[in-house]
């Protein structure tokens, strides 16, 4: 998709500040700290610094909203599971994210991003189960594939698919460094959001 405009809209920590009206369809991005959520958003938009990225895990501790082509909202969710993030913030993660996800008629898709080198863990499995129970469509993206050789990518993808109980083809292979997988992620977003 051609991104003509991509703009930061707001950061929020309180439910009253989450956009839930149906004016614009929303696509949310979730995943472990430092997995590459913000980098993926930037790559999709062809912008280097739209969503702030960092070598320090746990930088994004707010829910950030971005308007894409004035027709879609991207929602960068804070990462979970990083030990150095203070316990207090870790405890707040799930309630904060849940209150955004729950009863949100504008949310069309959650993109769950996982590092291809790390298999799904409890957090990913429980989040996916919760999304399924709540009828929220989800799609898993395996990122940082530039870090592995072709054979390893195939092995990791097969193992992740088995763990998640899905077909391998459903797991999108992605790299923010090379841009591989960008069109496939966009296809998924466009079809879910109807844009
Ligand atoms: P938090 O907001 O802290 O949860 O992190 P995040 O998930 O938004 O990750 P971010 O996009 O900030 O990236 C974290 C680090 O991983 C940065 O150093 C990125 O440059 C690097 N990174 C992200 N995606 C890729 C990728 O596809 N390949 C490689 N090699 N590095 C990546
Ligand atoms: Mg981030």
């Amino acid at each position: 998709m051609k991104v003509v405009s991509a703009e930061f809209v707001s950061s929020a920590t309180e439910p009253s500040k989450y956009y839930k009206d149906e004016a614009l369809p929303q696509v949310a991005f979730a995943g472990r700290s430092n997995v590459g959520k913000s980098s993926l958003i930037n790559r999709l938009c062809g912008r280097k610094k739209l969503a702030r990225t960092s070598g320090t895990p746990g930088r994004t501790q707010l829910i950030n909203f971005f308007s894409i082509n004035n027709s879609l909202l991207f929602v960068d969710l804070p990462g979970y599971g990083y030990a150095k993030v203070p316990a207090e913030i870790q405890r707040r993660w799930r309630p904060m994210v849940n209150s955004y996800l729950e009863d949100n008629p504008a949310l069309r898709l959650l993109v769950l991003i996982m590092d291809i080198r790390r298999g799904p863990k409890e957090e990913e499995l429980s989040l996916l189960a919760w999304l399924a129970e709540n009828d929220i469509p989800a799609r898993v993206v395996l990122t940082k594939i530039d870090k592995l050789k072709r054979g390893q990518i195939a092995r990791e993808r097969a193992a992740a698919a088995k763990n998640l109980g899905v077909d391998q083809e459903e797991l999108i292979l992605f790299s923010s460094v090379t841009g591989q997988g960008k069109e496939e992620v966009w296809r998924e977003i466009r079809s879910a959001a109807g844009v």
Side-chain angles (χ1 to χ4, degrees):
M1 175 147 126
K2 187 160 167 43
V3 176
V4 180
S5 69
E7 288 159 25
F8 173 74
V9 179
S10 74
S11 286
T13 46
E14 294 161 50
S16 64
K17 303 274 171 54
Y18 302 161
Y19 295 88
K20 290 196 178 181
D21 62 75
E22 288 194 76
L24 291 180
Q26 301 183 8
V27 174
F29 299 86
R32 202 165 281 280
S33 291
N34 214 37
V35 73
K37 298 173 291 298
S38 302
S39 301
L40 180 140
I41 290 174
N42 288 339
R43 177 54 94 158
L44 289 182
C45 297
R47 304 287 194 279
K48 286 217 165 69
K49 292 184 182 161
L50 178 64
R52 200 189 300 175
T53 63
S54 165
T56 315
R59 272 304 283 272
T60 313
Q61 293 174 358
L62 302 163
I63 298 186
N64 291 312
F65 293 85
F66 301 93
S67 169
I68 312 302
N69 291 352
N70 296 317
S71 62
L72 179 67
L73 284 184
F74 273 3
V75 184
D76 191 7
L77 296 172
Y80 51 80
Y82 184 64
K84 285 192 185 154
V85 170
E88 174 59 23
I89 291 174
Q90 299 233 30
R91 265 197 303 283
R92 271 190 309 204
W93 185 85
R94 196 65 200 245
M96 177 164 123
V97 168
N98 276 14
S99 70
Y100 162 74
L101 297 172
E102 272 167 358
D103 303 319
N104 186 346
L107 179 62
R108 299 297 149 76
L109 178 70
L110 183 132
V111 179
L112 177 58
I113 302 160
M114 296 184 356
D115 187 322
I116 182 131
R117 300 164 299 173
R118 307 181 57 157
K121 300 271 169 9
E122 214 282 312
E123 288 96 332
E124 283 81 18
L125 296 168
S126 87
L127 179 59
L128 286 170
W130 186 90
L131 293 165
E133 270 166 37
N134 288 273
D135 292 323
I136 299 170
R139 185 70 152 180
V140 174
V141 171
L142 302 179
T143 192
K144 303 196 182 180
I145 61 165
D146 56 282
K147 299 262 195 187
L148 296 182
K149 301 207 171 72
R150 205 179 294 184
Q152 293 173 301
I153 293 172
R155 274 197 299 282
E156 295 296 337
R157 186 193 205 186
K162 197 170 167 208
N163 246 318
L164 295 167
V166 301
D167 289 339
Q168 306 197 28
E169 291 69 35
E170 288 181 37
L171 304 178
I172 301 175
L173 299 174
F174 187 86
S175 166
S176 295
V177 172
T178 66
Q180 196 184 325
K182 176 180 164 181
E183 292 312 321
E184 210 181 332
V185 177
W186 263 122
R187 257 199 307 282
E188 198 57 35
I189 290 172
R190 296 188 68 175
S191 102
V195 293

